[in-house]
Amino acid sequence: MILERIHDPKDVKDLNKTEIQQLCDELRTFLVEKVSKTGGHLASNLGVVELTVAIHRVFDTSKDRLVFDVGHQCYVHKALTGRQSLFESLRQYGGLSGFPKPRESEHDAFIAGHASNSVSVALGMARSRTLRHENYHVLALIGDGAMGGGLSFEGLNDAGASGEQMIVILNDNGMSINTNVGAMSRHLSKLRNKPAYYEFKKRYRRALESSEAGRKFYELSHDVKTALKKSVYPGSTMFEDMGFKYMGPVDGHDVEALTQALLLAKELRRPVLLHVNTVKGKGYRFAEEDPGRFHGIAPFDLQTGKLQQKPCETFSHVFGETICQLAGKDKRICAITAAMEEGTGLTAFAKAYPKRFFDVGIAEGHATAMAAGMAKQGMVPIFAVYSSFFQRSFDMLMHDVSLSRVHAVFAVDRAGLVGADGETHHGCFDPMYLSIIPGMTVLCPSNFSELRMMLRTAIEEMDGPVAVRYPRGGEGKYRDCCGKGLVTQLRDGSDITIVSYGIMINEALDAAEILAEHGIAARVLKLNRIAPLTNDEVCRLLRHEKHLLVLEDCLGTGCVGQRIAAILAQEGAAPQHLILKNLGGVLPLEGSVAQLYRERGLDGAGVAQAIKEILS
């Protein structure tokens, strides 16, 4: 086994051509076996096996900086940088992260989890290197999907003009930036992919640059070649006009061609864009046939590709079903997604109402501004988006949505803790940033029935911007539909009041049951709406409380509990004891949601224990 001998990226450099191919085959087997047990991002990693191996043959990532975009394609990199033995714990509590994390290894240059930022980060590192007179290479590895994000073009625009030595590797595994047509284009692509072509270019340049006449001839021939390339192969011109040296497209599954291309890019000492074509899911039939399903997948059977456990109904599915029903009655309803059609439950809507479905790519800010425009002109747009990705839309929420007070609906998926994807994906900020948007109403369903009801209310009965936030996965034990009005009392008690909202109400009810066994009567209040919260409403509910606990799965600064505490203090109605149970100031790492609740004392037992300590 070649892979068992790889303890450090330096070991990859010592392998011959035959061993390299065997290593790639073993890496694919390794990935499929490990991810089938833990779940994770499989298809994206299978597609970059040869590319990652080639990068480690040419560069030293302990010193050179490899910046991943999104980062879900870093498994091969982790396996080659001394972390093979940790894959049994991939995305598990206390285990190996599914994304690049500098805390794990010096080979991980930067935390990644969101899209389109790699070029900007890499340019920052390159500029730092220049200012500090240091010597290392900087690479950004970005996919064609992430390249569609506006931030990537901001980075490319600046990086090309900067002249800084850096390499942007465009991993094109789906839609090409430009469609290549004609026999000449295919011929040039094939020619550029050959290692001999790169070797010839190096020798040709070195020979001519040794004399003044040679340099002039090289410049002339280079200009002629560039003009010819632009006329027959226009796909490269956008990057070259930005200031990049465009190379490619290169076969992303040919290690030798990739190695030669990277060596040439390394020598050019200027901004280079290397265009690489790969196949998502390559090497595992089921992932190649359905790369979308195997992009991020739960544990599955190796032989059949089927999930080990039957998928349960989720909030995302219920959302998709509900808006399909509502759209059948109201032709104003449109659905928007930012490259998350399946993840947000919009697949059925896209098939049923294709003219009213808009996938804008990885462009949350654009989606929000577009929703504002649609709403201003009489449509009812529903933007379904993950909470952590929605953060990108903050300026558009303020400027385009709030100021015009348009009736746009935001379905905020993955609110709260999401589990195995860890700190980059937890939806722990939307209670704060949505609540400060003037005119925004934020609804918090606790179960599927309330989600259906609140969506109908948001679309049919409300005006202005409305956000409906709900968690990843399924519902808990609380199944009643009591989502009308600001608050619902779920349990009476005189010793302490527990206030919570959304899925966390299940932990509040568990805590009340535990406390009852110890003779403590807890009142449980469920907030159906966390914004707006007026002074009158809060005081009417909580003015006479002696002991109060507010339970949330978001960070502490700016949380609902702090807002309630501020209102009560302002009105001279502060309780004797106030407990704010939330995530504090640090996001949790990987682990199941139940494990993370327990770690932070947000589960029923932890809440009950905190109350017993206060009351004693």
Side-chain angles (χ1 to χ4, degrees):
M1 289 285 288
I2 302 294
L3 185 56
E4 292 178 352
R5 292 161 32 196
I6 306 299
H7 305 293
D8 184 274
K10 294 177 182 177
D11 300 328
V12 178
K13 293 176 169 62
D14 298 330
L15 301 179
N16 60 39
K17 187 175 181 179
T18 302
E19 290 172 325
I20 285 291
Q21 185 56 57
Q22 184 179 339
L23 173 63
C24 292
D25 294 340
E26 291 177 9
L27 279 165
R28 284 199 167 87
T29 300
F30 175 84
L31 289 174
V32 174
E33 288 180 350
K34 298 301 182 184
V35 176
S36 71
K37 297 175 183 177
T38 63
H41 292 93
L42 182 60
S44 53
N45 283 285
L46 291 173
V48 298
V49 169
E50 289 84 2
L51 176 57
T52 309
V53 169
I55 288 171
H56 282 292
R57 291 183 78 190
V58 176
F59 298 95
D60 175 5
T61 54
S62 67
K63 179 180 67 173
D64 297 325
R65 301 288 76 188
L66 172 60
V67 181
F68 286 89
D69 208 290
V70 184
H72 55 233
Q73 75 281 50
C74 71
Y75 294 8
V76 183
H77 167 73
K78 291 196 174 193
L80 297 177
T81 52
R83 287 171 274 182
Q84 291 175 40
S85 62
L86 301 178
F87 269 78
E88 298 292 340
S89 67
L90 178 66
R91 302 170 78 247
Q92 308 298 305
Y93 183 73
L96 184 68
S97 173
F99 294 89
K101 295 291 169 66
R103 62 179 166 81
E104 283 185 2
S105 171
E106 64 179 347
H107 295 278
D108 290 4
F110 203 79
I111 289 176
H114 293 185
S116 307
N117 67 331
S118 62
V119 179
S120 299
V121 172
L123 177 59
M125 291 179 170
R127 281 181 160 146
S128 177
R129 172 197 61 204
T130 299
L131 292 170
R132 292 169 61 89
H133 306 290
E134 295 174 336
N135 182 27
Y136 55 85
H137 297 276
V138 180
L139 301 88
L141 175 55
I142 183 171
D144 56 310
M147 185 68 85
L151 181 60
S152 66
F153 282 92
E154 294 178 27
L156 288 168
N157 183 55
D158 191 17
S162 73
E164 288 285 354
Q165 180 185 357
M166 61 180 288
I167 302 170
V168 177
I169 303 173
L170 171 56
N171 174 30
D172 187 353
N173 59 20
M175 181 183 68
S176 295
I177 290 172
N178 287 112
T179 302
N180 303 326
V181 295
M184 179 63 76
S185 174
R186 290 195 298 272
H187 172 73
L188 291 175
S189 298
K190 198 177 295 182
L191 178 64
R192 279 191 295 272
N193 289 345
K194 293 181 178 179
Y197 172 72
Y198 293 110
E199 191 59 38
F200 169 76
K201 283 190 70 172
K202 286 193 293 184
R203 291 199 301 267
Y204 175 72
R205 186 176 71 252
R206 286 171 182 167
L208 292 179
E209 287 183 344
S210 60
S211 67
E212 181 68 24
R215 280 193 295 274
K216 289 182 178 180
F217 181 76
Y218 178 80
E219 290 172 1
L220 176 63
S221 65
H222 177 74
D223 290 343
V224 172
K225 178 178 70 71
T226 299
L228 177 63
K229 182 172 71 171
K230 287 185 177 182
S231 67
V232 298
Y233 194 70
S236 66
T237 60
M238 177 181 71
F239 300 114
E240 295 198 337
D241 288 344
M242 283 182 168
F244 281 85
K245 170 65 178 177
Y246 174 88
M247 298 173 59
V250 178
D251 181 357
H253 302 295
D254 184 335
V255 177
E256 286 303 310
L258 289 165
T259 301
Q260 293 299 321
L262 288 168
L263 285 170
L264 178 58
K266 184 178 180 179
E267 286 190 359
L268 289 176
R269 309 192 74 80
R270 56 169 293 184
V272 176
L273 188 134
L274 175 60
H275 186 176
V276 176
N277 284 331
T278 61
V279 176
K280 197 169 184 178
K282 184 174 177 61
Y284 183 56
R285 179 169 65 88
F286 302 111
E288 283 194 47
E289 293 173 351
D290 194 354
R293 187 166 71 89
F294 280 87
H295 172 78
I297 192 166
F300 61 93
D301 181 81
L302 274 172
Q303 304 305 317
T304 65
K306 295 181 179 179
L307 296 179
Q308 292 180 4
Q309 294 183 345
K310 187 177 179 180
C312 299
E313 190 174 31
T314 67
F315 278 90
S316 303
H317 294 147
V318 172
F319 159 75
E321 292 172 357
T322 304
I323 65 163
C324 272
Q325 294 167 5
L326 295 172
K329 302 173 184 176
D330 188 343
K331 293 184 178 180
R332 299 175 304 156
I333 293 174
C334 298
I336 303 170
T337 182
M340 288 288 175
E341 174 190 320
E342 185 175 354
T344 57
L346 286 174
T347 302
F349 189 101
K351 291 179 180 177
Y353 307 105
K355 291 185 178 180
R356 288 191 271 158
F357 172 75
F358 304 96
D359 185 345
V360 301
I362 301 176
E364 291 84 2
H366 161 60
T368 301
M370 187 180 81
M374 296 180 79
K376 187 68 172 64
Q377 296 306 112
M379 300 302 288
V380 181
I382 304 169
F383 177 24
V385 58
Y386 290 6
S387 171
S388 61
F389 301 157
F390 198 24
Q391 294 160 189
R392 298 165 176 258
S393 297
F394 185 78
D395 179 56
M396 293 76 193
L397 286 169
M398 290 292 292
H399 182 271
D400 304 312
V401 173
S402 175
L403 293 183
S404 295
R405 197 171 172 76
V406 294
H407 183 214
V409 177
F410 302 97
V412 185
D413 202 332
R414 270 60 168 182
L417 297 180
V418 299
D421 282 336
E423 58 193 328
T424 56
H425 284 62
H426 292 315
C428 296
F429 295 98
D430 66 87
M432 294 82 91
Y433 70 76
L434 289 176
S435 296
I436 66 173
I437 304 295
M440 177 71 75
T441 298
V442 183
L443 305 177
C444 305
S446 299
N447 52 46
F448 296 161
S449 296
E450 291 187 349
L451 175 58
R452 294 184 184 98
M453 183 270 293
M454 289 184 180
L455 282 170
R456 290 189 181 93
T457 301
I459 293 168
E460 298 174 352
E461 301 176 21
M462 293 184 169
D463 58 10
V466 185
V468 183
R469 66 182 307 272
Y470 47 90
R472 181 181 190 178
E475 58 188 353
K477 292 184 292 185
Y478 174 70
R479 303 289 175 92
D480 293 340
C481 187
C482 303
K484 286 287 187 180
L486 170 64
V487 67
T488 304
Q489 180 170 300
L490 302 184
R491 189 172 179 131
D492 195 16
S494 57
D495 294 320
I496 189 167
T497 294
I498 304 174
V499 175
S500 193
Y501 54 91
I503 199 73
M504 290 299 290
I505 203 67
N506 292 284
E507 305 302 329
L509 290 170
D510 285 348
E513 290 182 11
I514 295 171
L515 291 170
E517 295 172 0
H518 293 82
I520 300 172
R523 182 167 74 129
V524 178
L525 297 180
K526 178 172 74 72
L527 291 176
N528 303 313
R529 161 171 50 88
I530 60 171
L533 284 179
T534 68
N535 287 28
D536 288 345
E537 288 173 325
V538 171
C539 287
R540 187 168 63 250
L541 288 170
L542 303 170
R543 177 180 291 279
H544 302 295
E545 297 301 323
K546 186 177 180 182
H547 306 292
L548 174 64
L549 182 143
V550 184
L551 175 63
E552 309 175 68
D553 58 350
C554 62
L555 265 65
T557 302
C559 66
V560 174
Q562 283 193 351
R563 286 160 50 209
I564 290 174
I567 290 172
L568 292 175
Q570 183 180 355
E571 299 294 331
Q576 180 180 332
H577 290 114
L578 173 64
I579 310 170
L580 301 184
K581 290 293 287 183
N582 51 56
L583 295 170
V586 181
L587 285 167
L589 301 180
E590 297 76 25
S592 70
V593 172
Q595 288 172 324
L596 299 179
Y597 281 169
R598 192 160 51 247
E599 175 194 287
R600 297 299 177 94
L602 301 182
D603 61 337
V607 173
Q609 181 60 35
I611 290 172
K612 285 190 288 184
E613 291 175 0
I614 288 293
L615 296 183
S616 65

mmCIF file of all heavy atoms in Angstrom, residues 96-117:
data_model
loop_
_atom_site.group_PDB
_atom_site.id
_atom_site.type_symbol
_atom_site.label_atom_id
_atom_site.label_comp_id
_atom_site.label_asym_id
_atom_site.label_seq_id
_atom_site.Cartn_x
_atom_site.Cartn_y
_atom_site.Cartn_z
ATOM 1 N N LEU A 96 -11.756 14.948 13.500
ATOM 2 C CA LEU A 96 -11.181 15.653 12.355
ATOM 3 C C LEU A 96 -12.247 16.505 11.686
ATOM 4 O O LEU A 96 -13.330 16.019 11.365
ATOM 5 C CB LEU A 96 -10.627 14.629 11.363
ATOM 6 C CG LEU A 96 -9.892 15.160 10.128
ATOM 7 C CD1 LEU A 96 -8.575 15.812 10.533
ATOM 8 C CD2 LEU A 96 -9.636 14.018 9.137
ATOM 9 N N SER A 97 -11.942 17.753 11.456
ATOM 10 C CA SER A 97 -12.894 18.644 10.794
ATOM 11 C C SER A 97 -13.017 18.291 9.318
ATOM 12 O O SER A 97 -12.055 17.833 8.692
ATOM 13 C CB SER A 97 -12.450 20.101 10.937
ATOM 14 O OG SER A 97 -13.268 20.961 10.163
ATOM 15 N N GLY A 98 -14.185 18.544 8.754
ATOM 16 C CA GLY A 98 -14.381 18.343 7.326
ATOM 17 C C GLY A 98 -13.933 19.522 6.491
ATOM 18 O O GLY A 98 -14.086 19.510 5.272
ATOM 19 N N PHE A 99 -13.368 20.536 7.131
ATOM 20 C CA PHE A 99 -12.908 21.735 6.437
ATOM 21 C C PHE A 99 -11.489 22.074 6.899
ATOM 22 O O PHE A 99 -11.049 21.611 7.962
ATOM 23 C CB PHE A 99 -13.856 22.903 6.721
ATOM 24 C CG PHE A 99 -15.239 22.699 6.152
ATOM 25 C CD1 PHE A 99 -16.226 22.067 6.897
ATOM 26 C CD2 PHE A 99 -15.529 23.106 4.864
ATOM 27 C CE1 PHE A 99 -17.489 21.855 6.379
ATOM 28 C CE2 PHE A 99 -16.801 22.900 4.328
ATOM 29 C CZ PHE A 99 -17.781 22.271 5.081
ATOM 30 N N PRO A 100 -10.743 22.885 6.143
ATOM 31 C CA PRO A 100 -9.382 23.255 6.553
ATOM 32 C C PRO A 100 -9.391 24.005 7.881
ATOM 33 O O PRO A 100 -10.178 24.924 8.070
ATOM 34 C CB PRO A 100 -8.904 24.160 5.415
ATOM 35 C CG PRO A 100 -9.768 23.816 4.242
ATOM 36 C CD PRO A 100 -11.094 23.454 4.822
ATOM 37 N N LYS A 101 -8.507 23.605 8.778
ATOM 38 C CA LYS A 101 -8.423 24.243 10.087
ATOM 39 C C LYS A 101 -6.952 24.342 10.505
ATOM 40 O O LYS A 101 -6.316 23.326 10.787
ATOM 41 C CB LYS A 101 -9.204 23.439 11.137
ATOM 42 C CG LYS A 101 -10.718 23.377 10.889
ATOM 43 C CD LYS A 101 -11.363 24.741 11.094
ATOM 44 C CE LYS A 101 -12.808 24.772 10.595
ATOM 45 N NZ LYS A 101 -13.717 23.933 11.344
ATOM 46 N N PRO A 102 -6.387 25.546 10.554
ATOM 47 C CA PRO A 102 -4.994 25.695 10.970
ATOM 48 C C PRO A 102 -4.702 25.101 12.343
ATOM 49 O O PRO A 102 -3.562 24.735 12.625
ATOM 50 C CB PRO A 102 -4.795 27.215 10.960
ATOM 51 C CG PRO A 102 -5.756 27.705 9.936
ATOM 52 C CD PRO A 102 -6.958 26.826 10.077
ATOM 53 N N ARG A 103 -5.730 25.005 13.214
ATOM 54 C CA ARG A 103 -5.502 24.401 14.528
ATOM 55 C C ARG A 103 -5.131 22.929 14.407
ATOM 56 O O ARG A 103 -4.526 22.360 15.311
ATOM 57 C CB ARG A 103 -6.747 24.543 15.401
ATOM 58 C CG ARG A 103 -7.980 23.849 14.852
ATOM 59 C CD ARG A 103 -9.189 24.000 15.761
ATOM 60 N NE ARG A 103 -10.436 23.640 15.108
ATOM 61 C CZ ARG A 103 -10.880 22.397 14.949
ATOM 62 N NH1 ARG A 103 -10.154 21.394 15.390
ATOM 63 N NH2 ARG A 103 -12.032 22.156 14.343
ATOM 64 N N GLU A 104 -5.486 22.298 13.297
ATOM 65 C CA GLU A 104 -5.180 20.880 13.095
ATOM 66 C C GLU A 104 -3.770 20.657 12.565
ATOM 67 O O GLU A 104 -3.104 19.698 12.942
ATOM 68 C CB GLU A 104 -6.153 20.262 12.085
ATOM 69 C CG GLU A 104 -7.526 19.958 12.617
ATOM 70 C CD GLU A 104 -8.374 19.249 11.587
ATOM 71 O OE1 GLU A 104 -7.885 18.952 10.472
ATOM 72 O OE2 GLU A 104 -9.543 18.982 11.895
ATOM 73 N N SER A 105 -3.322 21.539 11.669
ATOM 74 C CA SER A 105 -2.057 21.281 10.974
ATOM 75 C C SER A 105 -1.486 22.566 10.396
ATOM 76 O O SER A 105 -2.237 23.456 9.961
ATOM 77 C CB SER A 105 -2.289 20.268 9.844
ATOM 78 O OG SER A 105 -1.149 20.154 9.018
ATOM 79 N N GLU A 106 -0.177 22.642 10.345
ATOM 80 C CA GLU A 106 0.489 23.770 9.703
ATOM 81 C C GLU A 106 0.234 23.787 8.197
ATOM 82 O O GLU A 106 0.436 24.806 7.529
ATOM 83 C CB GLU A 106 1.998 23.711 9.956
ATOM 84 C CG GLU A 106 2.687 22.501 9.336
ATOM 85 C CD GLU A 106 4.186 22.486 9.572
ATOM 86 O OE1 GLU A 106 4.725 23.522 10.004
ATOM 87 O OE2 GLU A 106 4.812 21.427 9.333
ATOM 88 N N HIS A 107 -0.216 22.668 7.646
ATOM 89 C CA HIS A 107 -0.490 22.582 6.220
ATOM 90 C C HIS A 107 -1.822 23.221 5.836
ATOM 91 O O HIS A 107 -2.079 23.420 4.650
ATOM 92 C CB HIS A 107 -0.477 21.114 5.772
ATOM 93 C CG HIS A 107 0.861 20.469 5.902
ATOM 94 N ND1 HIS A 107 1.858 20.613 4.965
ATOM 95 C CD2 HIS A 107 1.379 19.675 6.879
ATOM 96 C CE1 HIS A 107 2.936 19.933 5.347
ATOM 97 N NE2 HIS A 107 2.668 19.353 6.506
ATOM 98 N N ASP A 108 -2.673 23.510 6.813
ATOM 99 C CA ASP A 108 -3.937 24.198 6.552
ATOM 100 C C ASP A 108 -3.702 25.692 6.716
ATOM 101 O O ASP A 108 -3.519 26.189 7.831
ATOM 102 C CB ASP A 108 -5.031 23.720 7.509
ATOM 103 C CG ASP A 108 -5.467 22.295 7.203
ATOM 104 O OD1 ASP A 108 -4.882 21.670 6.307
ATOM 105 O OD2 ASP A 108 -6.401 21.810 7.873
ATOM 106 N N ALA A 109 -3.716 26.405 5.599
ATOM 107 C CA ALA A 109 -3.307 27.808 5.612
ATOM 108 C C ALA A 109 -4.345 28.745 6.201
ATOM 109 O O ALA A 109 -3.996 29.781 6.773
ATOM 110 C CB ALA A 109 -2.982 28.253 4.179
ATOM 111 N N PHE A 110 -5.628 28.374 6.075
ATOM 112 C CA PHE A 110 -6.679 29.327 6.441
ATOM 113 C C PHE A 110 -7.975 28.565 6.674
ATOM 114 O O PHE A 110 -8.253 27.581 5.995
ATOM 115 C CB PHE A 110 -6.868 30.350 5.309
ATOM 116 C CG PHE A 110 -7.472 31.662 5.727
ATOM 117 C CD1 PHE A 110 -6.702 32.625 6.347
ATOM 118 C CD2 PHE A 110 -8.810 31.937 5.492
ATOM 119 C CE1 PHE A 110 -7.234 33.849 6.721
ATOM 120 C CE2 PHE A 110 -9.370 33.155 5.855
ATOM 121 C CZ PHE A 110 -8.569 34.116 6.485
ATOM 122 N N ILE A 111 -8.785 29.023 7.635
ATOM 123 C CA ILE A 111 -10.105 28.427 7.851
ATOM 124 C C ILE A 111 -10.970 28.669 6.617
ATOM 125 O O ILE A 111 -10.986 29.766 6.068
ATOM 126 C CB ILE A 111 -10.789 29.027 9.089
ATOM 127 C CG1 ILE A 111 -10.088 28.558 10.370
ATOM 128 C CG2 ILE A 111 -12.267 28.651 9.144
ATOM 129 C CD1 ILE A 111 -10.645 29.172 11.636
ATOM 130 N N ALA A 112 -11.680 27.643 6.182
ATOM 131 C CA ALA A 112 -12.573 27.786 5.039
ATOM 132 C C ALA A 112 -13.877 27.070 5.333
ATOM 133 O O ALA A 112 -13.914 26.083 6.055
ATOM 134 C CB ALA A 112 -11.932 27.218 3.772
ATOM 135 N N GLY A 113 -14.952 27.552 4.754
ATOM 136 C CA GLY A 113 -16.257 26.944 4.934
ATOM 137 C C GLY A 113 -17.309 27.635 4.090
ATOM 138 O O GLY A 113 -18.348 27.073 3.800
ATOM 139 N N HIS A 114 -17.027 28.882 3.679
ATOM 140 C CA HIS A 114 -17.914 29.634 2.793
ATOM 141 C C HIS A 114 -17.200 29.865 1.473
ATOM 142 O O HIS A 114 -15.986 29.701 1.368
ATOM 143 C CB HIS A 114 -18.313 30.960 3.428
ATOM 144 C CG HIS A 114 -19.180 30.808 4.635
ATOM 145 N ND1 HIS A 114 -19.737 31.879 5.293
ATOM 146 C CD2 HIS A 114 -19.606 29.708 5.308
ATOM 147 C CE1 HIS A 114 -20.453 31.449 6.323
ATOM 148 N NE2 HIS A 114 -20.375 30.143 6.354
ATOM 149 N N ALA A 115 -17.957 30.263 0.467
ATOM 150 C CA ALA A 115 -17.424 30.305 -0.894
ATOM 151 C C ALA A 115 -16.948 31.682 -1.321
ATOM 152 O O ALA A 115 -17.367 32.698 -0.778
ATOM 153 C CB ALA A 115 -18.493 29.812 -1.875
ATOM 154 N N SER A 116 -16.075 31.669 -2.334
ATOM 155 C CA SER A 116 -15.693 32.830 -3.150
ATOM 156 C C SER A 116 -14.671 33.763 -2.517
ATOM 157 O O SER A 116 -14.357 34.801 -3.105
ATOM 158 C CB SER A 116 -16.941 33.649 -3.547
ATOM 159 O OG SER A 116 -17.912 32.831 -4.160
ATOM 160 N N ASN A 117 -14.127 33.420 -1.358
ATOM 161 C CA ASN A 117 -13.189 34.335 -0.697
ATOM 162 C C ASN A 117 -11.732 33.991 -0.926
ATOM 163 O O ASN A 117 -10.843 34.744 -0.524
ATOM 164 C CB ASN A 117 -13.448 34.357 0.808
ATOM 165 C CG ASN A 117 -13.125 33.025 1.474
ATOM 166 O OD1 ASN A 117 -13.230 31.969 0.845
ATOM 167 N ND2 ASN A 117 -12.720 33.065 2.727
#
